[in-house]
Amino acid sequence: MKKILVTGGAGFIGSHLCEKLLNQGNEVICLDNFFTGSKSNVIHLLNNPYFELVRHDVTMPYFIEVDEIYNLACPASPVHYQYNPIKTIKTSVMGAVNMLGLAKRIKAKILQASTSEVYGDPKIHPQTEDYWGNVNPIGARSCYDEGKRCAESLFVNYHKQNGVKIKIIRIFNTYGPRMLPNDGRVISNFIVQALKNEPISVYGDGSQTRSFQYIDDLIEGMIRMMDTPDNVTGPINIGNPNEFRIIDLAEKIIKLTNSKSEIKFFPLPEDDPIQRKPDITLAQKHLNNWTPKYDMDKGLLKTIEYFKTIIK
Ligand code: NAD
Ligand code: UDP
């Protein structure tokens, strides 16, 4: 049995990760400040004696003895990470410093939940890990993008300078049950609007693309990454290369929910990337033949079922 710390463990991805790690027979300490996460995401785990929930902010040091650390603490939706941009930067950067310092002291392996946002508005397509990205350092998304880029640099340098065992994954747009209905991300927005027969809010003309992966595929990839040999540090993209135009996603969700909603167009937010699609060659090579199993219809139907249970 391993003892594992998951920061941001009460969030969307973190709660699924905690659940899977517990199911695999590990002891899990879930650390969260409940900014975008909540107790309700992990309430079903609280009766498990091998699960511990800790209210703590990663910008402050934290001491514990564990074998592995998954560092997920950071708001992920543009609405939430832009709400308090300075705090977002502190969470990414100071959170990484604190967790890397902990990993160094206790000799734990540590995985960073980085993001496709490090590629910014990418000029190469699909994105490979050796692409340095196209990020506006002073734009609306920079608190998140640059915070995550700085965290990657910290991880790589703690590895080189101090021999810390690191793993960096770059997560592409992920969706599934336990996304917040109001967190502003496109899949939750569209499903909630469709279920309420309200207008579907497409930003811009909807020709921008994203590639969406279902949560279970990501969790499988994350755990496989943690289990790779020490010389596999990443960064490694984890995503589903199925690329969709946002307008087509809107139409698909209307169809799958049998909704009466119509599409309504709104201005495109500042620095909204035009295209995004992961090259997953490295993941397939290093993660024991990992490959996404959920196609869009299957993942969306499961997510729609979830939102039906929480929408009045
Ligand atoms: P989320 O907002 O649901 O989860 C983030 C969690 O971190 C929340 O529980 C929140 O309360 C917690 N948190 C935030 N600031 C904190 C702090 N200072 N101290 C302690 N806890 C804090 O988002 P998510 O989608 O589950 O994302 C989890 C991680 O994965 C994030 O690091 C995010 O950048 C990364 N990621 C997610 C996606 C995606 O599509 N969901 C894509 C790329 C990267
Ligand atoms: N988007 C949209 N309508 C919404 C929410 C988002 O058209 O109600 C668009 C957004 O402009 C972006 C894409 O959907 O082009 C994905 O947005 P999201 O916030 O989910 O993720 P990110 O931009 O961080 O990839």
Side-chain angles (χ1 to χ4, degrees):
M1 180 187 271
K2 285 184 287 190
K3 208 168 159 187
I4 303 175
L5 174 67
V6 179
T7 77
F12 159 52
I13 296 175
S15 61
H16 287 275
L17 179 64
C18 289
E19 195 176 297
K20 178 87 180 241
L21 292 171
L22 280 171
N23 285 341
Q24 291 184 337
N26 301 292
E27 189 174 341
V28 174
I29 296 98
C30 166
L31 180 155
D32 209 292
N33 73 345
F34 302 120
F35 173 46
T36 49
S38 66
K39 265 188 198 164
S40 62
N41 281 341
V42 289
I43 202 154
H44 60 297
L45 307 176
L46 289 175
N47 282 336
N48 187 324
Y50 295 108
F51 181 74
E52 230 173 297
L53 179 59
V54 179
R55 181 188 291 267
H56 184 81
D57 193 306
V58 285
T59 59
M60 311 292 282
Y62 182 70
F63 301 103
I64 191 171
E65 294 280 333
V66 290
D67 304 300
E68 294 176 353
I69 303 168
Y70 287 84
N71 188 38
L72 274 66
C74 186
S77 116
V79 173
H80 286 137
Y81 69 64
Q82 288 171 29
Y83 170 75
N84 184 344
I86 297 172
K87 177 72 189 201
T88 300
I89 299 172
K90 285 184 181 171
T91 295
S92 273
V93 177
M94 292 162 71
V97 169
N98 288 330
M99 289 305 126
L100 284 161
L102 175 65
K104 176 184 158 191
R105 200 169 60 85
I106 61 175
K107 297 191 172 28
K109 234 190 303 184
I110 178 164
L111 179 145
Q112 168 68 355
S114 191
T115 167
S116 52
E117 279 288 315
V118 300
Y119 301 122
D121 188 6
K123 298 288 180 214
I124 71 146
H125 197 70
Q127 292 79 55
T128 42
E129 290 84 349
D130 56 5
Y131 176 51
W132 292 355
N134 176 38
V135 172
N136 175 356
I138 54 168
R141 297 171 85 102
S142 73
C143 58
Y144 184 71
D145 300 9
E146 298 291 16
K148 289 284 188 178
R149 285 166 69 96
C150 182
E152 284 200 11
S153 174
L154 282 162
F155 267 70
V156 167
N157 285 302
Y158 266 79
H159 174 65
K160 285 188 189 155
Q161 206 175 317
N162 298 129
V164 174
K165 292 175 188 164
I166 61 150
K167 310 279 175 194
I168 301 173
I169 54 167
R170 291 183 178 152
I171 303 171
F172 282 65
N173 296 65
T174 304
Y175 68 98
R178 299 199 202 120
M179 290 183 91
L180 288 175
N182 62 346
D183 89 354
R185 284 184 271 193
V186 67
I187 292 205
S188 40
N189 268 10
F190 285 5
I191 293 179
V192 171
Q193 290 160 347
L195 290 177
K196 292 180 167 174
N197 293 310
E198 289 172 357
I200 306 286
S201 57
V202 169
Y203 301 160
D205 63 4
S207 63
Q208 71 272 31
T209 70
R210 293 295 187 273
S211 304
F212 297 98
Q213 94 180 306
Y214 187 66
I215 181 71
D216 291 10
D217 287 329
L218 167 64
I219 299 299
E220 184 62 37
M222 279 178 114
I223 294 176
R224 287 194 195 195
M225 180 67 178
M226 188 61 112
D227 291 341
T228 51
D230 290 348
N231 65 339
V232 181
T233 58
I236 290 185
N237 292 337
I238 302 196
N240 188 326
N242 253 340
E243 187 180 7
F244 279 83
R245 294 190 315 157
I246 295 304
I247 187 86
D248 297 333
L249 176 72
E251 275 157 12
K252 186 181 261 306
I253 289 176
I254 290 173
K255 203 166 143 204
L256 289 176
T257 49
N258 286 320
S259 172
K260 296 188 187 66
S261 294
E262 289 185 353
I263 290 172
K264 195 170 169 192
F265 293 92
F266 292 86
L268 192 65
E270 181 187 329
D271 293 339
D272 200 288
I274 289 166
Q275 54 181 0
R276 188 183 285 156
K277 171 180 174 169
D279 180 310
I280 56 168
T281 312
L282 271 186
Q284 287 171 320
K285 177 175 166 203
H286 290 295
L287 307 184
N288 201 10
N289 292 322
W290 170 87
T291 208
K293 293 206 170 83
Y294 282 80
D295 64 23
M296 201 64 185
D297 281 29
K298 190 171 158 199
L300 280 177
L301 284 170
K302 282 181 93 89
T303 312
I304 290 165
E305 282 318 303
Y306 167 75
F307 278 107
K308 277 184 185 164
T309 65
I310 61 161
I311 286 169
K312 308 286 168 243

